Amino acid sequence: MNGNTINSHKTADCNKSQDNHRYIPFSQSDNAASFLLRDAYVCADDGLVEHDGILYFHFQHYTWDLLNPEKNPAQGERKRRVFRRMAEGTVDKTQAQWLSGKYILGISPFINSYYHFICDLLPYLTQAPPWPLLIPAHLPPYYVAFLQQCGILTLTLSPHQVYRIEQLLIPMRTIPDWNESKILVLQKYFDSLIPNKTEKPPFRRIYISRKLVRRRHLVNEESLLPLFQKYGFVRVFMEKLTIREQIMLIRETSHLITPHGAALVNVLFAHKDLRLLEIRPTLSSGQFCFEALCKFGWPGYEYIVPPQKPEFVLDIELLKNVLEQWFA
């Protein structure tokens, strides 16, 4: 199918739900946007969905009524997101490729972000029916490999293509991102998938570098390494590790320092006594997402915001103060 690939790896981890499954876990409200859509159109690149005159974007997070515009907000984030997307072009139904069967939408604008992959998609998949997951062609290969290890059937959609889907389930994003139920479900799922066999208490001290990515990396990182080494910290690059390797590493970690970035979502798998320092470029980086996450069980979390400069740098004295406090 135009280069599409179906990965048919299945394991006992798949939920054997009935085909009429409509349960969307972790929702704090009964949102009618998150249900089974019949005869829906999907853009393969960013997951924009059109069904019966309604647009669904970022899964169901930003909906828009094309037939009754008076029902839409006159201002705000939803309008900005939808208008920005519609300026790139709407769903071209005339070129849609038919896809029969039942599928789960696994495409959204930020699905390549490890944070959104873990936060928005995986919690739903742990309790979703065993239907194929629609994924974009640009999804990182190690994400695809991990989904296959989870026993999730995947269907890669061709880029720049619109599909007409016979039946489609849209995952529901939680608002806010984190709650206790969601965290427990993820932890239980990963414990079953990647058993924690070590009996040793956490012992690793790691600094997660963002040197290999374009955004939010400390430009003076090299000058900080001697201080990290003095206190027994090892620099790691999460981009070089598989998801399984990241989880196993974090389970063994007792002290963690990192600039703000998606890898911090791995705190889900850390010991409750973890000492964690997040270095934020600005106070509101990520809309306080990791602060919100750590409130559910990691009291050793703290953050610092270096004085604003043209470049993202951390004064060595700020770092020294934290380390001296930790290891006094």
Side-chain angles (χ1 to χ4, degrees):
M1 181 186 296
N2 292 342
N4 297 350
T5 59
I6 294 183
N7 303 308
S8 57
H9 301 271
K10 288 188 176 182
T11 71
D13 290 330
C14 287
N15 189 325
K16 304 304 182 182
S17 304
Q18 299 299 316
D19 284 348
N20 62 355
H21 182 289
R22 286 170 175 255
Y23 171 61
I24 309 295
F26 320 118
S27 172
Q28 296 181 355
S29 64
D30 184 13
N31 190 326
S34 293
F35 60 90
L36 180 63
L37 303 179
R38 299 180 185 276
D39 197 14
Y41 292 84
V42 177
C43 291
D45 293 325
D46 62 4
L48 178 68
V49 175
E50 183 177 340
H51 175 263
D52 286 350
I54 304 294
L55 292 180
Y56 304 91
F57 197 41
H58 289 249
F59 296 131
Q60 90 307 335
H61 196 56
Y62 301 111
T63 59
W64 199 260
D65 194 326
L66 298 172
L67 303 180
N68 302 283
E70 70 280 358
K71 295 182 179 181
N72 300 318
Q75 58 186 359
E77 181 66 13
R78 191 200 309 184
K79 180 179 180 179
R80 288 193 294 271
R81 294 272 189 179
V82 173
F83 273 44
R84 192 180 306 140
R85 173 58 180 85
M86 291 177 67
E88 301 173 4
T90 55
V91 179
D92 185 359
K93 299 179 181 180
T94 63
Q95 301 297 320
Q97 181 173 327
W98 173 250
L99 196 57
S100 62
K102 303 170 182 178
Y103 300 90
I104 301 170
L105 184 65
I107 307 172
S108 75
F110 299 143
I111 202 61
N112 282 16
S113 162
Y114 184 61
Y115 176 86
H116 290 283
F117 181 73
I118 296 290
C119 175
D120 297 343
L121 183 60
L122 282 186
Y124 174 76
L125 294 180
T126 64
Q127 300 187 35
W131 301 352
L133 177 72
L134 302 180
I135 59 175
H138 54 73
L139 194 68
Y142 74 98
Y143 287 19
V144 181
F146 179 76
L147 290 169
Q148 294 175 2
Q149 293 168 12
C150 295
I152 296 170
L153 195 69
T154 62
L155 175 62
T156 303
L157 300 187
S158 298
H160 317 309
Q161 177 68 48
V162 172
Y163 287 83
R164 183 182 175 187
I165 313 297
E166 184 176 7
Q167 297 188 51
L168 180 69
L169 273 173
I170 301 181
M172 172 176 278
R173 291 180 57 187
T174 53
I175 303 174
D177 281 354
W178 299 107
N179 59 52
E180 187 174 5
S181 173
K182 183 176 184 177
I183 290 171
L184 291 175
V185 166
L186 276 171
Q187 290 174 331
K188 183 177 180 180
Y189 182 71
F190 277 90
D191 283 345
S192 66
L193 187 69
I194 310 173
N196 190 358
K197 298 180 179 180
T198 180
E199 297 181 357
K200 295 190 298 184
F203 62 94
R204 297 187 186 276
R205 301 176 183 180
I206 66 172
Y207 165 69
I208 297 178
S209 173
R210 290 182 55 86
K211 188 176 181 180
L212 302 182
V213 299
R214 291 177 297 176
R215 300 176 59 237
R216 295 192 302 267
H217 62 274
L218 288 169
V219 297
N220 67 327
E221 180 177 293
E222 297 298 323
S223 67
L224 303 175
L225 292 182
L227 185 59
F228 280 125
Q229 294 167 358
K230 175 183 176 181
Y231 283 92
F233 282 78
V234 175
R235 178 168 62 170
V236 299
F237 301 93
M238 289 302 204
E239 296 81 7
K240 295 183 177 182
L241 304 179
T242 66
I243 293 178
R244 177 182 292 266
E245 290 169 338
Q246 290 185 45
I247 292 170
M248 294 175 67
L249 173 65
I250 292 298
R251 284 175 174 172
E252 296 178 345
T253 298
S254 60
H255 296 76
L256 170 62
I257 297 177
T258 178
H260 173 83
L264 251 175
V265 76
N266 284 314
V267 73
L268 283 163
F269 316 112
H271 193 274
K272 298 298 183 182
D273 293 333
L274 175 75
R275 297 300 299 268
L276 168 60
L277 176 67
E278 176 190 7
I279 307 166
R280 297 183 190 170
T282 63
L283 178 62
S284 60
S285 295
Q287 297 180 329
F288 311 99
C289 58
F290 298 116
E291 184 176 352
L293 171 58
C294 289
K295 286 180 179 179
F296 288 97
W298 293 271
Y301 166 84
E302 54 189 294
Y303 67 88
I304 55 176
V305 183
Q308 296 298 293
K309 297 181 180 179
E311 296 180 312
F312 186 24
V313 298
L314 175 62
D315 189 288
I316 193 169
E317 292 301 319
L318 289 176
L319 178 60
K320 185 182 296 184
N321 289 340
V322 172
L323 294 174
E324 289 178 349
Q325 176 186 355
W326 283 6
F327 305 107

